[in-house]
Amino acid sequence: DVFLAHDDLEPSAEWSREIRAQLLAADIFLPLLTDNFPNSKWTDQETGMAIASDKLIVPLKVDLNPYGFAGAIQALLLDPDNVEAACAKITKTIAKNPRLREGFLDGLIKMFSESFSFEDAAAKATLLVQFDGYTPQQVRQVLLAIVDNDQIHKSFNAQRRMANFIASYGSQAEPALVKKARAAMQ
C-alpha cells in the first residue's frame, strides 16, 4: 500500500499524528527531491524520521541531490518523462532488500492471482519471472493462481511465462499441484 498525505488523509484527521503513524508503519520511504522539497516545513522531518526508524529510503532526484543525513544515500534520477523506468528500478531495489523481499514477492503474487484479463495476467506473469528467490509457499500460491484463475491459465502469453516459472521452481512444490497447473494451461 502507498500513503500520500495530501491524497490519503481523511477529513478531520489529526494529520501530523497520522503522518507519523504512517511513517513508522512504512517499509519504504520515497522522498521526491524537487526544488520545493527544502522549502517545506515537513519534508526534512519526515526524512529524518525515516532514517531514524531504519526504513529503506530511495531518494527520487528530480532537481536536487539528497542532503543532510540522506546525503549518504544514492538517489535515483527521476525523469518526469519516463516515470515507468524509475518504477522498475524502485521495484528491483525493493526485491533485492533481504528484509523486504518476501513481502514484496507476496504482494506480486497477490496481484498476479487477481489478474482480471488475459493481458493483465500476461503483464503480471512477466513481472513474476523478473524476480527470483521464491519460497516453496510462494511457489504453491503461484501454482494455485494458475489453476484457479482462468484469466491466467487461458492467457497464451501468461502460459509461456508460467511454463518458465514452473521449470525454475516446480521442484519446490507438490508434484500433483505442478501437474494440475500444467494441465490447466493446456
Side-chain angles (χ1 to χ4, degrees):
D1 291 331
V2 175
F3 175 77
L4 185 61
H6 295 293
D7 293 342
D8 294 330
L9 286 172
E10 296 292 326
S12 80
E14 186 181 330
W15 56 269
S16 63
R17 183 185 321 208
E18 182 65 19
I19 290 171
R20 284 193 313 270
Q22 290 291 334
L23 279 167
L24 292 173
D27 294 314
I28 304 153
F29 182 71
L30 303 169
L32 189 60
L33 300 172
T34 65
D35 284 331
N36 287 327
F37 188 87
N39 297 332
S40 168
K41 291 179 172 58
W42 301 99
T43 54
D44 286 339
Q45 293 180 62
E46 293 164 349
T47 303
M49 281 188 68
I51 291 169
S53 56
D54 198 30
K55 305 301 179 192
L56 172 63
I57 300 172
V58 182
L60 304 175
K61 177 185 175 179
V62 176
D63 303 310
L64 300 175
N65 287 315
Y67 58 88
F69 287 120
I73 303 168
Q74 179 63 41
L76 171 65
L77 182 60
L78 180 64
D79 178 358
D81 295 325
N82 192 3
V83 174
E84 188 173 302
C87 290
K89 288 180 183 177
I90 292 166
T91 57
K92 288 178 182 172
T93 300
I94 296 167
K96 288 179 187 176
N97 185 294
R99 190 177 61 191
L100 302 177
R101 172 189 291 278
E102 188 171 342
F104 171 79
L105 295 176
D106 285 343
L108 195 56
I109 293 164
K110 183 178 186 300
M111 287 178 9
F112 173 69
S113 69
E114 296 171 352
S115 296
F116 57 85
S117 69
F118 295 156
E119 295 80 17
D120 188 49
K124 306 261 173 73
T126 299
L127 281 174
L128 273 178
V129 298
Q130 287 179 13
F131 301 99
D132 57 13
Y134 292 95
T135 67
Q137 178 60 28
Q138 290 170 329
V139 173
R140 184 175 191 284
Q141 294 299 331
V142 170
L143 296 174
L144 288 171
I146 292 169
V147 170
D148 294 340
N149 187 332
D150 67 346
Q151 297 302 305
I152 295 171
H153 65 250
K154 290 183 180 179
S155 168
F156 177 73
N157 289 324
Q159 289 174 4
R160 291 186 325 185
R161 287 158 182 88
M162 288 300 92
N164 291 337
F165 183 90
I166 292 170
S168 296
Y169 292 100
S171 64
Q172 293 185 29
E174 313 92 72
L177 182 56
V178 172
K179 184 176 180 179
K180 194 171 182 179
R182 284 187 173 130
M185 295 190 298
Q186 298 297 322

